[in-house]
């Protein structure tokens, strides 16, 4: 029975009972009203109000849950659905809302996949241009400075050597940026080698003590899965270096028969009540691409922990 007919039926029953009492029962209203008549009228009113309040509370409770879900829904945290019971219009509304969430999550995952694919392609192009165009040009400048320094008089040689050293440092920085944009070692040598190079680079340039433990016998993973694992580790290390005031970071990559787990823990100040920024939401979007679970919270000894759990396909398991 729909909510309308339940409320209407209850009111009809109460009003019908009151009318029947007035027509056939020896119930009258005196003028002025005596105490017993006032008690009967007020009691009937209270019963009707309580019955209506109880029915409305029960009937509108699913709508309250729907309102709360609509204000807190996050398409990056999939799987939250409202329970549906019955066949009335409220149940149909909840069922329609759940179906709408299914469509929105599917469309969000599809559009996110296209955006991230275009982003990786653009990163690859920029990294290639930095390596081929800018890197080669700076290498040529470095050689020219060396030749000029060899032929220059003593008064200018120190300045040219200083310019040569500055150019060499800039060339190293360009190459490092190119590796961050698109890790060639990931394509050539695999995930473990790429994570080794990544942690070494962060330890060298940020001063963090990065402790790395990677299982050597990882199962075969697809290129997209390896890229997601690498990007999540990269973003977690970046957050630890920039925002956590951490001194030590531990990166662990392990696997079981059914899943591969990446853990990045730091000893910084933790998340607290910090709002999720673009970096964390980017990690969640990447995790959705491969149906992985991402858990970001407090570490076992303080600080923050980022855990990415990647389920293995049945044939790989």
């Amino acid at each position: 029975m729909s909510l309308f007919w339940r409320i209407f039926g209850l009111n009809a029953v109460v009003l019908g009972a009151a009318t029947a009492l007035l027509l056939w029962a020896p119930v009258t209203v005196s003028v002025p009203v005596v105490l017993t008549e006032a008690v009967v009228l007020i009691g009937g009113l209270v019963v009707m109000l309580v019955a209506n309040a109880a029915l409305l509370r029960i009937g509108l409770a699913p709508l309250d849950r729907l309102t709360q879900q609509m204000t807190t829904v996050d398409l990056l945290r999939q799987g939250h659905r409202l329970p549906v019971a019955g066949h009335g219009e409220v149940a149909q509304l909840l069922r329609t809302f759940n179906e709408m969430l299914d469509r929105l999550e599917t469309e969000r995952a599809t559009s996110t996949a296209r955006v991230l694919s275009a982003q990786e392609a653009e990163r690859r192009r920029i990294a290639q241009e930095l390596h081929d165009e800018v890197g080669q040009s700076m290498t040529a400048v470095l050689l020219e400075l060396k030749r000029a320094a060899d032929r220059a008089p003593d008064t200018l040689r120190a300045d040219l050597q200083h310019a040569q050293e500055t150019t060499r440092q800039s060339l190293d920085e360009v190459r490092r940026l190119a590796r961050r944009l698109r890790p060639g070692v990931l394509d050539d040598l695999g995930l473990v080698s790429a994570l080794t190079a990544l942690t070494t680079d962060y330890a060298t340039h940020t001063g963090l003590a990065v402790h790395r433990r990677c299982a050597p016998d990882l199962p075969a993973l697809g290129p997209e899965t390896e890229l997601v694992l690498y990007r999540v580790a990269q973003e977690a290390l970046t957050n630890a270096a920039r925002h956590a005031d951490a001194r030590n970071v531990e990166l662990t990559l392990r696997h079981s028969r059914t899943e591969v787990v990446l853990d990045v823990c730091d000893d910084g100040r933790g998340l607290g009540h910090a709002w999720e920024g673009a970096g964390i939401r980017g990690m969640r979007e990447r995790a959705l691409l491969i149906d992985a679970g991402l858990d970001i919270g407090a570490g076992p000894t303080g600080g923050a922990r980022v855990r990415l759990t990647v389920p293995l396909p049945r044939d790989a398991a």
Side-chain angles (χ1 to χ4, degrees):
M1 186 180 296
S2 67
L3 181 63
F4 169 78
W5 286 111
R6 279 183 287 173
I7 297 176
F8 178 80
L10 178 62
N11 285 315
V13 169
V14 174
L15 293 176
T19 303
L21 287 174
L22 291 175
L23 289 177
W24 294 296
V27 177
T28 59
V29 180
S30 304
V31 179
V33 181
V34 299
L35 179 61
T36 55
E37 296 172 346
V39 170
V40 170
L41 291 176
I42 294 175
L45 178 62
V46 169
V47 169
M48 186 175 66
L49 292 177
V50 170
N52 275 275
L55 182 62
L56 288 174
R57 173 65 63 184
I58 296 173
L60 297 179
L63 297 181
D64 293 337
R65 292 197 301 270
L66 175 62
T67 302
Q68 183 179 5
Q69 179 75 359
M70 291 175 68
T71 56
T72 59
V73 66
D74 187 354
L75 296 180
L76 295 180
R77 293 178 173 86
Q78 295 186 349
H80 298 285
R81 298 294 183 269
L82 292 171
V84 180
H87 302 282
E89 60 237 7
V90 175
Q92 182 61 34
L93 176 62
L94 299 181
R95 195 175 293 110
T96 304
F97 179 75
N98 289 339
E99 293 173 355
M100 181 191 69
L101 285 183
D102 292 336
R103 294 194 301 271
L104 288 176
E105 288 179 356
T106 302
E107 293 172 2
R108 173 64 182 265
T110 303
S111 61
T112 299
R114 289 196 296 265
V115 169
L116 293 179
S117 177
Q119 184 185 81
E120 290 297 332
E122 186 67 13
R123 285 185 172 186
R124 187 184 298 110
R125 184 187 66 81
I126 295 174
Q128 192 70 29
E129 290 185 359
L130 284 175
H131 183 272
D132 294 343
E133 302 295 334
V134 180
Q136 290 182 6
S137 298
M138 295 184 70
T139 302
V141 171
L142 193 61
L143 294 175
E144 291 293 335
L145 287 172
K146 185 179 184 304
R147 283 194 291 266
D150 292 339
R151 296 193 302 267
D154 294 339
T155 55
L156 294 177
R157 184 170 301 168
D159 293 337
L160 290 174
Q161 288 176 347
H162 178 70
Q164 184 180 356
E165 184 62 28
T166 302
T167 304
R168 183 180 292 109
Q169 293 175 0
S170 300
L171 179 60
D172 292 340
E173 184 66 22
V174 167
R175 288 173 176 170
R176 189 170 68 90
L177 289 175
R179 287 195 301 269
R180 285 195 176 185
L181 285 172
R182 182 62 188 182
V185 66
L186 180 63
D187 299 327
D188 299 334
L189 301 178
L191 178 62
V192 174
S193 298
L195 291 178
T196 301
L198 177 67
T199 52
T200 302
D201 180 71
Y202 268 85
T204 302
H205 292 89
T206 64
L208 285 173
V210 183
H211 309 280
R212 180 185 62 255
R213 292 184 300 173
C214 296
D217 54 345
L218 285 175
L221 301 173
E224 188 178 49
T225 302
E226 288 190 344
L227 183 59
V228 170
L229 285 164
Y230 180 86
R231 292 300 187 197
V232 170
Q234 185 181 40
E235 183 63 34
L237 289 173
T238 300
N239 288 339
R242 290 182 180 177
H243 309 298
D245 294 333
R247 295 183 178 180
N248 298 278
V249 180
E250 182 175 349
L251 185 147
T252 305
L253 183 65
R254 64 183 189 276
H255 71 93
S256 64
R257 294 177 57 86
T258 58
E259 61 188 18
V260 173
V261 180
L262 171 71
D263 264 321
V264 182
C265 302
D266 63 63
D267 61 351
R269 59 189 179 187
L271 296 175
H273 299 287
W275 184 258
E276 288 192 1
I280 294 180
R281 296 189 68 83
M283 286 193 286
R284 295 194 185 280
E285 290 176 345
R286 291 184 182 277
L288 289 178
L289 289 181
I290 57 174
D291 295 327
L294 183 69
D295 180 31
I296 301 176
T301 59
R305 183 192 67 188
V306 176
R307 172 173 291 178
L308 181 69
T309 305
V310 182
L312 292 174
R314 291 183 178 180
D315 52 352

